[in-house]
Amino acid sequence: MKLHFTIPVSERLRQTFGSRYVLYSLYLEGFLFCKVRYSQLHHWNDQLRRVFGSTVPAFPPKFYLAMTASMADERRSQLEEYLQNVTVDPSITNSDVFISFFRKLQQDTFKIQTQSASLDVYLADGRVIRLAIQTSDTAERVLEVVLYKMGLSRELMGYFSLFFLQDHSNGVLSVVKKVAEFELPYVSLQSMKELGCKIGIRKWYMDPSLDTMLMGCRAAVNLLYIQALQEIEKNWVKPTDGQMQKLELLQKEANKTKFLELVQEVQHYGYMQLDPCACDYPEVGCSATVHVGNKEISCCIKLPSNQTKEVSFKISRVRCWEVTFLGASTQPEDQGREQTLELRFEYCDSDSWRWIVFYTKQAFLLSSCFKKIISEQLIKTTKEDKEMQVEMPESLKSKKSRIQQSQIAWFDFIPRKRVLFRPSEEDNVFEKIREEDL
């Protein structure tokens, strides 16, 4: 599935000797990832084509006439679409030509050279693992090192991921974003310092039953156990009084396996909780606390009348979704950050389709959860199909395949509002930019 690459911002700049160019700000999961020129992307596309041939999507063409502002905006949109499409193929995103290109871009953007450094990775119980790394190490490499230090086998690495987290003064924990495997955690952390972020390790799957795949590894059990304790403490997971008494007893006995078996029965265990946000369901002007996991979006919705309503949106009823950039925050920091993103999904509600909208700065995180749920469903369905093929009549096999395809949702990003920095002295600079300057 596509990565959440977007280009909501571009800058018109002038080089030392007077030639002009456009610098595109490339965002990943809603946060600035790097800045890049068209010429750099064009050269990179040539490299990709030499390795992967025609599987690489078409690259936006050059303009041989003077580029107007509308042409520049069209190019920005085309580059954004190209970057999203090129990340569909995992053989490309896992390749050296892909990783090395974005490694250099990220380091150049934030002016961080390759050198030895230390990086703190936080566990759910507050402990810190300090790693000796290179500033150019990817998240995949950092995760591999930290899990090795904890005694986790490499085969189980895919069940965990690094995340950017925020601890608020009121005790609330926010998951800001998942760190992409090719991202440089050290560099990204420097760029997000103003948000007070830290890097933490958490499990990364949305089906709670997958815990069973990790029960044979003591290190994995420890990670699941301390995350479960944290989520109970933060009120993400809501055990009943009876369940809480049993869990506390198992905690005192240090029976982690039994604890994890019991917590499977607790509401919202294994879900991702988002910060409170606004929504338009069942009517405009509602607010919601959102938990996503186990094939559903579970919401506690507060109506304009101050009444509350528990709602569960089943992922199987979601046809598609999209994230929209609404604009930059203009409020002072002490007044809180304006919600600048929305995620809307088309949902089958009472046998009719309607769009449901959540206004949240964690829209890309929510979209990542959607994609994870769907990918897990597809893997599970494929496995079940293989097990059933021996017994299933040929006449039913094709029908089963059609059902699978109809349940595959899609994601899109719509930049409703684009921010373009314009030099005050020249409003029509694009009309004077030549293709060779880009």
Side-chain angles (χ1 to χ4, degrees):
M1 291 186 178
K2 298 178 182 178
L3 290 176
H4 294 137
F5 270 136
T6 55
I7 309 177
V9 179
S10 61
E11 301 172 76
R12 306 170 187 178
L13 301 175
R14 188 191 298 271
Q15 295 188 128
T16 305
F17 298 105
S19 61
R20 303 174 182 89
Y21 65 96
V22 180
L23 191 64
Y24 298 96
S25 292
L26 180 57
Y27 281 60
L28 178 62
E29 304 287 344
F31 292 88
L32 179 62
F33 180 64
C34 64
K35 296 186 178 184
V36 63
R37 293 173 61 168
Y38 174 88
S39 56
Q40 291 173 297
L41 289 170
H42 189 279
H43 177 66
W44 178 60
N45 175 72
D46 290 341
Q47 292 179 310
L48 288 175
R49 287 194 172 277
R50 283 196 291 269
V51 177
F52 299 101
S54 60
T55 60
V56 179
F59 190 76
K62 289 186 176 183
F63 293 138
Y64 291 99
L65 299 176
M67 189 165 62
T68 64
S70 62
M71 293 167 67
D73 190 58
E74 179 186 2
R75 168 170 286 177
R76 184 212 57 77
S77 180
Q78 290 173 342
L79 289 173
E80 188 176 83
E81 183 178 1
Y82 166 80
L83 286 167
Q84 291 176 3
N85 290 336
V86 83
T87 59
V88 171
D89 187 348
S91 64
I92 293 180
T93 56
N94 292 329
S95 67
D96 288 340
V97 66
F98 182 95
I99 295 171
S100 60
F101 177 71
F102 283 110
R103 174 189 283 119
K104 185 178 188 309
L105 279 181
Q106 203 179 356
Q107 288 184 270
D108 289 349
T109 297
F110 297 103
K111 297 179 173 57
I112 296 178
Q113 297 180 345
T114 299
Q115 59 186 9
S116 298
S118 62
L119 182 70
D120 290 340
V121 177
Y122 288 78
L123 304 182
D125 59 1
R127 286 180 294 157
V128 180
I129 297 179
R130 177 158 292 181
L131 303 176
I133 65 161
Q134 294 290 304
T135 55
S136 58
D137 283 342
T138 63
E140 182 180 29
R141 172 60 180 164
V142 172
L143 181 64
E144 183 178 1
V145 171
V146 72
L147 292 179
Y148 175 80
K149 278 180 168 288
M150 299 185 68
L152 194 85
S153 62
R154 201 175 192 284
E155 292 74 21
L156 300 179
M157 193 174 79
Y159 291 95
F160 297 90
S161 183
L162 299 178
F163 291 84
F164 286 108
L165 310 172
Q166 282 179 316
D167 284 321
H168 300 281
S169 57
N170 59 359
V172 172
L173 171 71
S174 295
V175 178
V176 178
K177 69 181 285 281
K178 177 185 176 293
V179 187
E181 291 183 354
F182 59 89
E183 192 172 352
L184 310 185
Y186 181 89
V187 176
S188 293
L189 189 62
Q190 309 310 307
S191 69
M192 299 175 70
K193 270 187 174 179
E194 63 180 32
L195 298 177
C197 289
K198 64 182 184 181
I199 294 177
I201 182 171
R202 301 178 63 82
K203 66 181 182 181
W204 179 230
Y205 50 88
M206 308 306 294
D207 182 355
S209 68
L210 291 176
D211 278 6
T212 57
M213 304 295 293
L214 307 176
M215 289 296 106
C217 175
R218 179 183 294 182
V221 168
N222 287 337
L223 284 173
L224 297 181
Y225 178 71
I226 61 176
Q227 183 171 328
L229 289 176
Q230 181 195 50
E231 292 178 358
I232 292 173
E233 177 190 351
K234 300 295 183 182
N235 205 32
W236 285 27
V237 177
K238 299 173 173 60
T240 63
D241 291 342
Q243 288 173 330
M244 194 65 201
Q245 290 177 1
K246 294 178 181 178
L247 289 170
E248 287 175 345
L249 179 61
L250 291 170
Q251 185 180 355
K252 289 178 181 178
E253 296 174 352
N255 194 333
K256 298 177 183 179
T257 302
K258 289 292 184 183
F259 183 98
L260 291 170
E261 290 175 359
L262 177 58
V263 81
Q264 287 270 345
E265 304 171 10
V266 177
Q267 183 186 22
H268 296 153
Y269 173 71
Y271 288 49
M272 181 76 73
Q273 178 173 302
L274 305 187
D275 297 341
C277 63
C279 68
D280 70 348
Y281 185 91
E283 57 184 292
V284 175
C286 295
S287 60
T289 301
V290 180
H291 294 80
V292 56
N294 201 18
K295 297 178 284 189
E296 68 167 345
I297 311 148
S298 177
C299 303
C300 179
I301 297 177
K302 186 177 181 180
L303 306 175
S305 62
N306 286 329
Q307 293 178 308
T308 59
K309 182 177 183 179
E310 299 286 341
V311 179
S312 173
F313 301 106
K314 302 301 181 184
I315 294 296
S316 60
R317 287 176 169 263
V318 174
R319 179 155 60 185
C320 58
W321 72 92
E322 61 191 31
V323 176
T324 305
F325 178 70
L326 301 177
S329 173
T330 57
Q331 293 181 333
E333 186 66 28
D334 58 359
Q335 294 181 19
R337 291 182 178 273
E338 180 185 357
Q339 304 291 354
T340 60
L341 295 169
E342 70 173 30
L343 182 143
R344 59 176 60 225
F345 57 92
E346 194 173 12
Y347 190 74
C348 184
D349 186 22
S350 301
D351 297 325
S352 63
W353 292 96
R354 63 165 291 178
W355 286 93
I356 296 170
V357 184
F358 288 98
Y359 303 92
T360 169
K361 60 187 177 183
Q362 294 167 296
F364 285 110
L365 177 64
L366 182 56
S367 178
S368 293
C369 292
F370 279 19
K371 292 195 295 182
K372 191 66 173 176
I373 290 173
I374 291 171
S375 66
E376 289 173 1
Q377 283 183 301
L378 290 174
I379 291 171
K380 186 175 182 179
T381 302
T382 301
K383 183 179 179 181
E384 290 174 350
D385 282 353
K386 289 181 179 179
E387 293 173 351
M388 293 173 63
Q389 277 179 354
V390 177
E391 302 177 7
M392 184 183 292
E394 287 294 329
S395 60
L396 295 180
K397 289 182 181 179
S398 60
K399 182 178 179 181
K400 179 69 175 180
S401 176
R402 287 194 298 271
I403 292 173
Q404 285 179 230
Q405 293 300 317
S406 67
Q407 292 175 343
I408 300 177
W410 55 261
F411 153 81
D412 199 5
F413 173 82
I414 301 178
R416 179 179 298 172
K417 179 177 179 182
R418 295 149 190 159
V419 181
L420 186 65
F421 293 100
R422 183 188 298 275
S424 58
E425 69 273 11
E426 279 188 280
D427 288 343
N428 297 319
V429 67
F430 269 115
E431 297 178 3
K432 302 178 183 179
I433 295 180
R434 299 167 300 167
E435 183 63 36
E436 54 266 32
D437 295 328
L438 303 180

